[in-house]
Structure formats: structure tokens, C-alpha cells
Amino acid sequence: MSPLKPAPTKAGAALPITGATVVVTCPGRNFVTLKITTADGVYGLGDATLNGREMAVVAYLQDHVCPLLIGKDAHRIEDMWQFLYRGAYWRGGPVGMTAIAAVDVALWDIKAKVAGLPLYQLLGGACREGVTVYGHANGETIADTIAEAKRYQAMGYKAVRLQTGVPGLADTYGVSADKMFYEPAAAGLPQESVWSTNAYMRVVPELFAAAREELGWDIELLHDVHHRLTPIEAGRLGRDLEPFRPFWLEDATPAENQAAFRTIRHHTTTPLAVGEIFSSIWSCKQLIEEQLIDYVRATVVHAGGISHLRKIAALADLYQVRTGCHGATDLSPVSMAAALHFGMSVPNFGLQEYMRHTPETDAVFPHAYSFDQGMLHPGDTPGLGVDLDEDLAAAHPYRRAYLPVNRLEDGTMFNW
């Protein structure tokens, strides 16, 4: 049965789950998708991709989660979330929470299809006309990066992330040969990169100074540190960037120690964003309650799905912290659509990352969302507005790939 034309379901009636299958495909990079089917033929999709550790989530879903779903009522989304979280006893972690997120999003997809509404309408309706997004401009040199940023400006983007190569380093996070479809994971054993904080700290202020000179002040500029600085180093970088008014400084230091962000706050007024690797509200509770960050970047697929992300957003709203969901290409169009429905509906939306998928990926995951003048709209198709071409997915078999790792110049293992 077409997901766009669900069979009528009696209001209030249970909707038994009859099937749960996991589809793994690699149209240029790996994606894991959970498909949940109900007794009346309506199905929902959930993204379960964990970059570089995809098959760990596949095993957790297939061996532990999917058997639990059969016969359950697809409408009882919150109860199912609690069942999978509390019932496992071993709570949290990226593998378990990614699996829960896949179930949660698939059930929301089903509920919205049964209702005949785009998902954001079930989440309270639209709080805005569209979801403002940012793209990724990168280059080997500052001039290359600014040229890419101008290309994004010409495409209608109102916000752009800037990443540039660091002189003296063979490769740098965020800089890729394919400027539009960045993918850091690669086949074979993990690539080992070399890192120099001193060289990096010199080049980033130069990048932003040149960017403001060339791009002007009518575009928002962002930067991702990718967890590579100590708190005091991050404070120094944030202070150096203040004259150029960055929209945010992302992942300035590892956030396992949430209190570390106090040090950064003491030294800079540059807005701070963090959270793409958070797996639950507990990962950001102190950061939010002490207003140590300005944007929480937890994502649908890794932070327990739409249900849990709404709890994070609600807590953040009390402290004037806004959302800034992760949206890299290691999240499938299923996850991107979920983030857009979420972003349309929460009052404290901030900004949405948008790395475009390749044509091969878009063919496997046909979708209703669209880009126009710097914003994405999820569309008004019932549910998420994303489907899965399973025949085409099968034509792109899984290929094991790893994210890179980092070492300092003396060989010490470091944060990638």
C-alpha cells in the first residue's frame, strides 16, 4: 500500500505492528533504515545510521529491538520509547539511542500518515514559514573557502559554515575534494591525520577577517572546531573572532565535562553550539541550565528521536537556548525530513545544518522537502514525506568505512 494513501483507521483503535525490517544501503555512503509496517498496510521509516559503526546498530535492531515491536500498538509512541529505554536496563549510548530514535521516528511517520497530515502539524503546527539552513563552504586556502561561500550565497543561503586548510597540515577536518557532498568516512582502516593547534589558531581569525571583507555583513558565518581545543584555547579563539560576529563557534571543546564550558564563557561572548554526538538530555542538562551554550545541536537520529529531542528543546526553551540540529550527509533524507518537521514546530528553533545528499542518495530516498532562498520546507505530504526505494537500495550494498582519527605532531592520539 502506498504510504501516501493509508487505509482508514478507526479513531482511537489500536494499530498493531506486523513487521519491522532493517535496510542497509550504500549509494555512495552507508545508511541504515528501519521500516515498520502495521496491520492496515501503513508503514513508517526511521533513520538508524551511526557513521562508521552502522552494523552495530543493525545488530541491535535486528537481534533485540525488532522482535519486541511485533504486536505492539503503533500509536503508543511514548510508551514504546519508555519500553525500549527503561526495559533494556543498560540505558543510553549512541548505539541504543540511535535504535530507539529509528523506532520513534518510524512511529511518528505512521501516526501522521494515518492522520493524513504532514508530521509538523501533529507536533503543534508551524511556528515559521520554513527552516533556515546553513551550508558548508570549504577550501584548501582562505581564498578557496571564500569562493565557495560566494557560491552558497548565489544559491540563496543566508548562513554558511567556513572551514579552511591549515598551512603545514596535509589535511584538515571539513575540507574535502568534493565541495558539495563532503563525506569523511572512507573504506579501509581509519585514516590517520596530524593536528597542530597553534597553526589552526593562527589561520581561523584570518579566515573570518577575509570573509567579512569579501562577503559583507548580511550573511551569517559559522565555524566548527570539532572538539579540538582545551577550554582556555577555545576562549581565546572565541575572543579573537568576536570582531567578525560569528553566528556560532561549534564543538569548541569536548563536552563530556559540561562544566568546561564555564571557562569558555568567562573569556568570550562568541555564541557557542555543541551537541551533535549527544545521545540524551542528560548530555546537555548542565550546559542548558547554566546557560553555558547558545545552541544545542543534538540530532533526531542520535538523541532518541523526535520524542526525546522535543524534551531537549523544551528544557532549552526555558533558558533561551535554541536548537541547531546536526544535519550532515551521514544522516539520511529520512532524518533530514524529521529534523525539518521538528524545526518547523518548536518555538526556540535556531538554525538547521543542511549538507546536500548526492543524486544517488536522493534516488534511494525520494522526498517532499525542498530548498528555496536559504530555507527548507518539509512539504505537506502526510507523514515525513520521505519514501524508500528498496529495489534501488539493494543495488547499493554495504561497504565498511571508518571515520578518520587524529594524532598530534609528536604522535599523541587526539580528538578527530
Side-chain angles (χ1 to χ4, degrees):
M1 175 174 292
S2 167
L4 306 184
K5 297 180 180 179
T9 301
K10 183 180 178 181
L15 185 58
I17 295 171
T18 57
T21 58
V22 181
V23 177
V24 184
T25 185
C26 185
R29 61 121 23 250
N30 294 315
F31 296 107
V32 180
T33 307
L34 175 66
K35 179 180 179 180
I36 296 177
T37 306
T38 62
D40 63 4
V42 179
Y43 63 84
L45 301 177
D47 187 10
T49 308
L50 185 62
N51 200 357
R53 295 294 186 271
E54 296 90 353
M55 301 309 287
V57 184
V58 171
Y60 190 71
L61 282 169
Q62 290 180 334
D63 295 342
H64 302 286
V65 173
C66 288
L68 299 173
L69 302 178
I70 307 304
K72 294 291 196 300
D73 183 0
H75 283 312
R76 298 182 64 174
I77 299 175
E78 183 63 29
D79 183 70
M80 178 60 71
W81 198 99
Q82 298 294 334
F83 178 77
L84 295 176
Y85 182 78
R86 297 174 186 270
Y89 183 69
W90 310 106
R91 302 178 184 180
V95 173
M97 294 300 280
T98 299
I100 290 175
V103 174
D104 184 80
V105 171
L107 294 182
W108 276 111
D109 192 19
I110 289 169
K111 186 180 284 289
K113 287 173 180 174
V114 170
L117 294 170
L119 177 56
Y120 71 85
Q121 295 288 17
L122 292 191
L123 301 178
C127 286
R128 53 199 50 84
E129 297 305 311
V131 175
T132 303
V133 299
Y134 70 92
H136 288 201
N138 71 88
E140 292 293 338
T141 67
I142 290 175
D144 292 341
T145 300
I146 293 174
E148 283 297 307
K150 288 181 177 179
R151 186 157 72 106
Y152 276 96
Q153 273 188 310
M155 294 167 62
Y157 283 80
K158 303 298 190 294
V160 179
R161 192 186 82 169
L162 303 177
Q163 307 291 143
T164 191
V166 176
L169 300 185
D171 54 81
T172 307
Y173 166 77
V175 178
S176 62
D178 192 325
K179 301 306 179 189
M180 190 60 66
F181 307 113
Y182 174 60
E183 174 51 58
L189 296 178
Q191 172 190 334
E192 293 198 4
S193 301
V194 176
W195 177 250
S196 169
T197 296
N198 288 337
Y200 167 78
M201 294 280 280
R202 289 193 297 268
V203 76
V204 177
E206 294 175 6
L207 168 65
F208 271 73
R212 282 302 181 205
E213 180 71 23
E214 293 286 332
L215 303 175
W217 293 86
D218 293 332
I219 185 169
E220 300 289 1
L221 304 179
L222 303 83
H223 181 70
D224 186 0
V225 180
H226 222 240
H227 316 280
R228 298 185 182 199
L229 299 179
T230 65
I232 196 65
E233 290 168 343
R236 183 185 307 143
L237 179 61
R239 186 187 60 204
D240 289 346
L241 294 180
E242 284 176 11
F244 314 112
R245 295 293 190 270
F247 186 87
W248 75 39
L249 189 64
E250 178 185 343
D251 293 344
T253 197
E256 287 93 339
N257 176 14
Q258 296 180 45
F261 278 72
R262 290 178 189 157
T263 299
I264 307 175
R265 274 290 203 230
H266 288 161
H267 292 279
T268 183
T269 59
T270 292
L272 302 175
V274 72
E276 68 182 43
I277 64 172
F278 289 170
S279 59
S280 81
I281 197 169
W282 303 105
S283 304
C284 51
K285 179 177 180 290
Q286 183 180 6
L287 291 169
I288 291 171
E289 291 179 339
E290 296 187 21
Q291 295 180 292
L292 301 178
I293 59 173
D294 303 278
Y295 298 90
V296 57
R297 299 200 66 249
T299 188
V300 174
V301 68
H302 299 142
I306 290 170
S307 296
H308 198 63
L309 200 58
R310 291 178 76 198
K311 292 180 173 67
I312 293 174
L315 174 64
D317 195 28
L318 297 178
Y319 298 94
Q320 297 181 299
V321 175
R322 292 185 283 176
T323 67
C325 290
H326 183 54
T329 48
D330 59 358
L331 313 180
S332 84
V334 175
S335 194
M336 176 55 69
L340 296 178
H341 286 279
F342 167 80
M344 284 286 288
S345 64
V346 293
N348 56 323
F349 168 79
L351 194 62
Q352 172 64 52
E353 181 178 21
Y354 175 45
M355 292 185 70
R356 293 168 181 255
H357 292 104
T358 63
E360 293 78 12
T361 295
D362 287 338
V364 173
F365 298 95
H367 53 264
Y369 61 77
S370 59
F371 174 86
D372 182 55
Q373 294 302 307
M375 293 195 298
L376 281 170
H377 193 284
D380 289 316
T381 300
L384 287 173
V386 181
D387 207 349
L388 173 64
D389 187 327
E390 295 189 56
D391 291 335
L392 192 54
H396 300 286
Y398 167 79
R399 293 181 295 176
R400 185 173 61 191
Y402 289 99
L403 290 170
V405 297
N406 244 6
R407 293 185 183 275
L408 299 180
E409 292 172 294
D410 67 356
T412 303
M413 198 69 204
F414 197 59
N415 304 311
W416 177 74

